[in-house]
Amino acid sequence: MGDRTAYRTCPLCEAMCGLELTLDDSDRVTRVRGDARDPFSKGFVCPKGATLGSLDGDPDRLAEPLVRKGDEHVTASWDEAFEAVRAGIAQVIERYGRDAVALYVGNPTAHSIAGPLYTGAIVKALGTRNLYTASTADQMPKHVACGHLFGDPLAIPVPDLDRTDHLLMLGANPLESNGSVCSAPDFPGRLKAIQARGGKVTVVDPRRTRTAALADEHVFIRPGTDAYFLAALIHTLFAEDLAVDVPGANGIGELRALVADLAPERVADVTGVPAAGIRRTARELAAAPRAAVYGRMGTTTQAFGTLNSWFVDALNALTGNLDRPGGAMFPKAAHVPAYRRRKPFTTGRWRSRVQELPEVNGELPVATLADEIETPGDGRIRALITIGGNPALSAPNSARLDRAFAGLEFMASIDPYLNETTRHAHVVLPPPRPVQTPHYDIALSALAVRNYARFSPPAVPLDGRPSEAEILARLALTASGSDGDVAALDDMIIASTLAKAAAHEGSPVHGRDADEMRAMLAGSGTPAERRLDMMLRLGPYGDAFGAVPEGLTLDRLRTDHPHGIDLGALEPRLDEVVCTASGRVELCPSALVADVDRLRAALAAGPPAGTVLIGRRHLRSNNSWLHNLPELVRGSNTCTLHLHPDDAARLGVAAGDGVRVTSRAGSVEAVAEPTDTIMPGVVSLPHGWGHDRPGTRTGVARRHAGVNVNVVTDEREIDPPSGTAVLNGVPVTLERVD
Ligand SMILES: Nc1nc2c(c(=O)[nH]1)N[C@H]1C(S)=C(S)[C@@H](COP(=O)(O)OP(=O)(O)OC[C@H]3O[C@@H](n4cnc5c(=O)[nH]c(N)nc54)[C@H](O)[C@@H]3O)O[C@H]1N2
Ligand SMILES: Nc1nc2c(c(=O)[nH]1)N[C@H]1C(S)=C(S)[C@@H](COP(=O)(O)OP(=O)(O)OC[C@H]3O[C@@H](n4cnc5c(=O)[nH]c(N)nc54)[C@H](O)[C@@H]3O)O[C@H]1N2
Ligand code: SF4
Ligand SMILES: [Mo]
């Protein structure tokens, strides 16, 4: 037969690059290149995408389910494994009630079709309030801020990278991360293009990252103090009469009053940014013909994450850049129906049992998961299901969480690896290889800097094992105690969605017969694919079930656009997006105003003394789970402690020496790497390492174990409005180890 070529989207980060795979006649991936014909990524590929073949063929990937017998995990059949899950969940629900089963959903779930399509059904079937995801260790503050500003937590404007003249970027390092909550293949190239057309890129970061080095200007800022910096920018816009009127927005006067006392001179000390620099930054932002402010990880996973996320978009609005080309714009994804309005956003519909933290987006903070497992009483979590997550490494104070997992009565994990988290599971259900998995970016194409859609069919057939969609659907059925089949679950969801669409006056299928439309989906493939077909047909570019003859269907996307379809540059669509109770943008949302008092109180307390810890990402890593690929861990150890040479000298530490990093939560011993790329008083460790736990089956990662920074991050410290963990700006003490 010989070699053949297959095309697919890279599932590894948010950039959604198209890949060209070469497969041999035993279906092994022998080469990976960028897909030059992808209209969005145009052949770009990074070192991670290039190793998709090794990931796909990793001998440590599980091919069959595992069940735990004592301390051992042994192979089981799919039926045995599902029966064990059924029995495990049923027993716990029967004894303790539905809230006793918790669900944790991790990052790769946002990069799949299966995750977004079935997680909701699983939560509903479990009937639990205990849903936790990696979002509360990541971007939840952005959802909360946008929920209050625009009414919809999913209405997140992204910087229009390809048309802006001025990008102010805080707490993001796309030269390593390839971008986040802003999908843009070849993010570095897009930044250079801003410069090439005469624009300016400014980076605000406590480290001189590769992104900061590329930028025209790098502003060092003390970790956790962006909210002061951003408030002072807003203050300056008002004080110097640079703010524009924002038609269709409430709260401009209130916002002006709110930051009246936060002048650059007031915040210079605490932020470490000179007042004159803050004023100049505000003036440049206002003067740029088209500008965008963009804040990411470093601004969300810190004490004032929600305020930061709010202020970023307030700045976009006040400089006239919200919803205009070259500014911050709302993508229009092919599978998201434009007619559907959400209910105005609220949080706190229920609270966590122990810390009484408010629900946000249907979730509780992962920072309090250990409390809920360990604290006795009614409603205590006794069972846990994880889907594509590794909280035993990724969550704050993960050592505590790791201990808590060991005490669960039942745990099941949907995961391809037996790792630090899944080693605790009684049942592990592995999804198939990436090349056996269809792909469409349900979550990420709604955050892309161009409107774009791409569907990747599996390149290799399933060898009798279930797809991840089938695993998750079966889990939903199992959890609801139903013995119906997977297709029936999809049928139910499809029938109810189509009935609603037919009844909705603004929908393109208003008044149509739902059954007739359902019949039109029959030919579109597997269950998950039928649902995707439905979403595309109801979507803004869709065929509206035949009403728009040239419109998009899954079949057209698959057959006519195997490299993806470019649906154009972002277009203004604020009116379509806003769904606050007032119908207007709320620039000074009352729900968030109180948090400014917390900010002010912290300012009054003065600049913090002592050392703080922040994170760091590397191009050849991906959270906790690509460390088992030899190509990516080769070379020098990247899991080192960055510290400023002055701090190193004060401690008597040289490169390669051991340093003990201690916080309230715990202590870790890391290898020192002094560097003047980091601010004095700040140290940095990457996350996702610490692969030395017993009972795992990731041989390569074990030989490159590194240390787990989340032993030191503190589960007590969260951003209250969003419940998001403070992973950046953790107070620590340092000590040389001999
Ligand atoms: N190679 C690689 N790519 C990845 C990942 C990975 O692990 N490796 N992870 C993926 C995931 S899950 C995500 S969410 C994205 C994240 O993508 P990014 O948001 O770009 O994340 P980071 O690279 O961590 O960059 C965060 C930056 O914030 C800085 N920072 C820390 N504290 C502060 C602060 O208080 N203020 C400011 N202004 N800056 C601060 C850090 O020094 C760092 O440079 O990356 C994704 N892509
Ligand atoms: N200190 C510190 N901690 C952090 C961060 C930080 O910057 N600093 N970053 C935070 C961020 S942004 C995030 S997103 C979280 C990530 O937190 P998590 O999502 O909990 O952790 P990951 O390391 O992404 O774990 C992914 C898991 O999914 C599995 N997996 C891989 N592919 C698939 C698949 O196709 N299907 C399924 N079902 N499973 C799969 C992997 O084997 C692994 O077990 O970590 C957070 N933790
Ligand atoms: S940038 Fe992201 S999507 Fe593109 S190849 Fe690399 S890991 Fe894959
Ligand atoms: Mo993330």
Side-chain angles (χ1 to χ4, degrees), residues 350-676:
W350 60 88
R351 286 184 176 263
S352 69
R353 179 179 63 102
V354 180
Q355 303 280 347
E356 299 184 359
L357 301 175
E359 156 279 338
V360 176
N361 263 3
E363 304 179 17
L364 295 170
V366 69
T368 197
L369 177 54
D371 296 325
E372 295 294 326
I373 298 175
E374 286 179 343
T375 312
D378 259 7
R380 177 177 180 180
I381 293 173
R382 311 284 185 154
L384 174 70
I385 300 169
T386 69
I387 307 177
N390 195 2
L393 290 187
S394 63
N397 197 350
S398 56
R400 179 180 171 205
L401 203 51
D402 189 55
R403 287 192 299 275
F405 289 165
L408 286 166
E409 291 186 20
F410 180 72
M411 180 167 159
S413 294
I414 299 40
D415 204 289
Y417 286 108
L418 192 64
N419 63 17
E420 298 74 18
T421 294
T422 61
R423 72 194 175 107
H424 294 295
H426 297 86
V427 185
V428 184
L429 304 169
R433 294 158 53 191
V435 294
Q436 293 175 309
T437 304
H439 194 91
Y440 176 93
D441 273 298
I442 291 184
L444 304 174
S445 36
L447 297 164
V449 300
R450 278 191 81 84
N451 293 318
Y452 160 87
R454 180 168 178 150
F455 176 76
S456 318
V460 172
L462 289 163
D463 38 21
R465 60 194 286 186
S467 69
E468 180 148 22
E470 282 164 348
I471 296 173
L472 297 188
R474 208 164 150 186
L475 185 63
L477 292 165
T478 301
S480 62
S482 147
D483 48 14
D485 70 358
V486 171
L489 174 69
D490 277 295
D491 270 337
M492 225 169 65
I493 298 172
I494 287 171
S496 109
T497 308
L498 288 177
K500 276 188 212 145
H504 195 297
E505 275 191 28
S507 111
V509 296
H510 180 226
R512 298 270 298 275
D513 181 68
D515 284 338
E516 181 205 316
M517 292 193 282
R518 194 152 54 104
M520 292 172 75
L521 298 170
S524 43
T526 64
E529 290 168 24
R530 278 198 302 150
R531 285 184 52 201
L532 181 59
D533 190 27
M534 172 185 73
M535 292 160 83
L536 291 170
R537 296 175 119 182
L538 294 174
Y541 313 93
D543 85 331
F545 288 85
V548 182
E550 297 305 303
L552 214 54
T553 65
L554 180 59
D555 190 46
R556 289 207 180 105
L557 188 57
R558 176 174 16 210
T559 315
D560 301 346
H561 307 283
H563 306 281
I565 179 171
D566 179 35
L567 298 163
L570 303 185
E571 283 168 19
R573 58 187 296 261
L574 188 61
D575 288 348
E576 217 169 77
V577 162
V578 172
C579 56
T580 52
S582 65
R584 296 162 68 86
V585 175
E586 295 294 348
L587 270 190
C588 194
S590 51
L592 299 183
V593 165
D595 209 37
V596 179
D597 294 336
R598 186 171 63 97
L599 183 72
R600 236 180 239 112
L603 182 61
T611 307
V612 291
L613 171 75
I614 64 172
R616 186 164 91 239
R617 279 178 165 73
H618 290 117
L619 187 60
R620 300 161 78 85
S621 175
N622 199 21
N623 298 330
S624 73
W625 68 281
L626 290 186
H627 300 151
N628 207 50
L629 306 185
E631 296 90 329
L632 294 182
V633 289
R634 244 195 323 251
S636 58
N637 175 19
T638 51
C639 187
T640 55
L641 184 79
H642 281 190
L643 76 172
H644 192 273
D646 293 351
D647 292 327
R650 189 172 42 79
L651 289 166
V653 162
D657 286 352
V659 179
R660 185 171 298 113
V661 185
T662 304
S663 71
R664 185 208 67 88
S667 191
V668 79
E669 228 180 272
V671 176
E673 186 178 346
T675 164
D676 68 1

Side-chain angles (χ1 to χ4, degrees), residues 10-26:
C10 176
L12 296 181
C13 90
E14 300 178 40
M16 311 194 287
C17 299
L19 301 179
E20 181 188 292
L21 312 179
T22 307
L23 295 107
D24 67 14
D25 52 15
S26 58

Side-chain angles (χ1 to χ4, degrees), residues 182-419:
C182 173
S183 286
D186 193 13
F187 206 123
R190 290 173 204 263
L191 293 180
K192 287 176 200 153
I194 297 174
Q195 297 172 315
R197 59 178 178 264
K200 177 171 180 180
V201 177
T202 299
V203 168
V204 181
D205 199 302
R207 294 189 299 121
R208 188 170 65 248
T209 60
R210 283 176 58 219
T211 308
L214 175 140
D216 302 276
E217 183 178 353
H218 171 215
V219 177
F220 277 110
I221 190 166
R222 284 226 175 81
T225 67
D226 299 75
Y228 304 106
F229 176 79
L230 293 163
L233 292 179
I234 297 174
H235 170 101
T236 307
L237 292 181
F238 284 122
E240 303 191 1
D241 232 354
L242 300 169
V244 302
D245 187 36
V246 189
N250 287 336
I252 298 190
E254 288 90 334
L255 183 56
R256 177 185 191 127
L258 193 67
V259 298
D261 60 335
L262 295 171
E265 293 68 21
R266 276 280 313 278
V267 307
D269 262 6
V270 70
T271 57
V273 186
I278 302 177
R279 288 193 182 271
R280 182 173 49 77
T281 304
R283 290 173 196 147
E284 285 178 5
L285 200 58
R290 302 173 298 183
V293 186
Y294 165 62
R296 236 345 248 131
M297 261 303 285
T299 64
T300 54
T301 50
Q302 52 146 287
F304 297 102
T306 303
L307 290 186
N308 290 334
S309 299
W310 164 23
F311 292 163
V312 160
D313 284 324
L315 282 165
N316 283 319
L318 293 170
T319 52
N321 286 299
L322 181 66
D323 198 40
R324 89 164 171 202
M329 304 190 78
F330 299 95
K332 185 155 82 178
H335 64 282
V336 181
Y339 60 86
R340 218 185 95 224
R341 296 260 160 154
R342 303 177 150 252
K343 285 198 199 94
F345 178 72
T346 58
T347 64
R349 291 168 296 174
W350 60 88
R351 286 184 176 263
S352 69
R353 179 179 63 102
V354 180
Q355 303 280 347
E356 299 184 359
L357 301 175
E359 156 279 338
V360 176
N361 263 3
E363 304 179 17
L364 295 170
V366 69
T368 197
L369 177 54
D371 296 325
E372 295 294 326
I373 298 175
E374 286 179 343
T375 312
D378 259 7
R380 177 177 180 180
I381 293 173
R382 311 284 185 154
L384 174 70
I385 300 169
T386 69
I387 307 177
N390 195 2
L393 290 187
S394 63
N397 197 350
S398 56
R400 179 180 171 205
L401 203 51
D402 189 55
R403 287 192 299 275
F405 289 165
L408 286 166
E409 291 186 20
F410 180 72
M411 180 167 159
S413 294
I414 299 40
D415 204 289
Y417 286 108
L418 192 64
N419 63 17

Side-chain angles (χ1 to χ4, degrees), residues 144-159:
V144 173
C146 290
H148 289 303
L149 286 166
F150 310 120
D152 179 352
L154 297 177
I156 298 181
V158 301

